[in-house]
Amino acid sequence: MVRGGGSHMGGGRGDSRRGADAPKSEFAERVIAVNRCAKVVKGGRRFSFNAIVAVGDQKGRVGVGLGKANEVADAIRKAGESAKKNMFHVPVTKAGSIPHLIVGKFGAGEVMLKPASPGTGVIAGAGVRAVLEVAGIQNVLTKCLGTRNPHNMCKATVDGLKRLRRPSDVAAMRGRTLEEIIGKRVGNGA
């Protein structure tokens, strides 16, 4: 987080408040980007801030929000509240990956999400990594195919995650069993 420096950051009231809030929250929160915007007025410049925050329970639920305010801390708080309102469920495999390859798109942003074997880790850039980690995905390969703008990359990642489907859901939609869709290897205890 970006906050104004000063002697109050080292200890005292700020740390005790943060320590008290940490155990209460069931969600992991990651600040993806903080942007400063300047408006030129008669007396000089007036600054405002916007922040993108990813919030998730690391068990398959995730949300991304944008907050705007005149202070960085307020912008981050608003973004966190917005992210909690926009949470959705992501299908995560037993190996901690995603069920299939998908390309998420938003505006000029395109992000490819590809399943990976256990032990691979999250191979992703900063914005995409934050969203995937708070969702609880541990093994995935990603590639940014479009713009590097953090706003569009995060929204493209969310689009890809929302469009993921489990094999069982596809089988039910087609009116078939899972074994008919995938083959006999499902029942062999692989």
Side-chain angles (χ1 to χ4, degrees):
M1 279 192 272
V2 180
R3 290 199 176 133
S7 60
H8 72 279
M9 293 300 284
R13 206 175 88 178
D15 285 351
S16 65
R17 210 174 344 151
R18 247 181 269 126
D21 289 350
K24 291 179 188 174
S25 180
E26 61 189 285
F27 299 113
E29 194 171 293
R30 296 274 170 86
V31 177
I32 296 167
V34 176
N35 188 33
R36 187 181 74 176
C37 184
K39 179 183 178 183
V40 179
V41 293
K42 188 178 177 183
R45 292 187 186 95
R46 187 160 293 159
F47 294 108
S48 63
F49 299 89
N50 67 50
I52 315 167
V53 172
V55 173
D57 64 355
Q58 297 181 329
K59 295 174 187 167
R61 287 181 63 213
V62 67
V64 175
L66 174 68
K68 299 179 181 183
N70 292 331
E71 298 292 328
V72 176
D74 292 338
I76 291 170
R77 181 184 50 77
K78 284 182 181 180
E81 289 170 4
S82 173
K84 284 176 187 170
K85 286 179 190 171
N86 298 323
M87 287 186 95
F88 61 96
H89 200 272
V90 179
V92 181
T93 63
K94 289 177 186 172
S97 189
I98 54 177
H100 56 87
L101 184 142
I102 195 151
V103 177
K105 296 178 183 178
F106 183 88
E110 280 187 45
V111 175
M112 181 191 71
L113 305 170
K114 188 175 180 180
S117 58
T120 305
V122 179
I123 310 297
V128 178
R129 174 184 294 274
V131 177
L132 296 173
E133 283 181 348
V134 297
I137 298 169
Q138 295 150 358
N139 301 299
V140 69
L141 301 166
T142 67
K143 179 70 180 144
C144 178
L145 303 172
T147 181
R148 302 294 199 261
N149 181 330
H151 291 265
N152 288 342
M153 275 199 328
C154 291
K155 288 176 183 172
T157 306
V158 166
D159 172 63
L161 293 175
K162 280 185 176 177
R163 291 191 294 119
L164 285 173
R165 292 188 295 180
R166 287 187 177 86
S168 56
D169 296 341
V170 175
M173 186 182 72
R174 293 182 187 175
R176 298 185 180 273
T177 65
L178 192 58
E179 287 181 356
E180 287 175 326
I181 299 280
I182 295 178
K184 294 290 180 191
R185 61 191 168 114
V186 173
N188 292 343

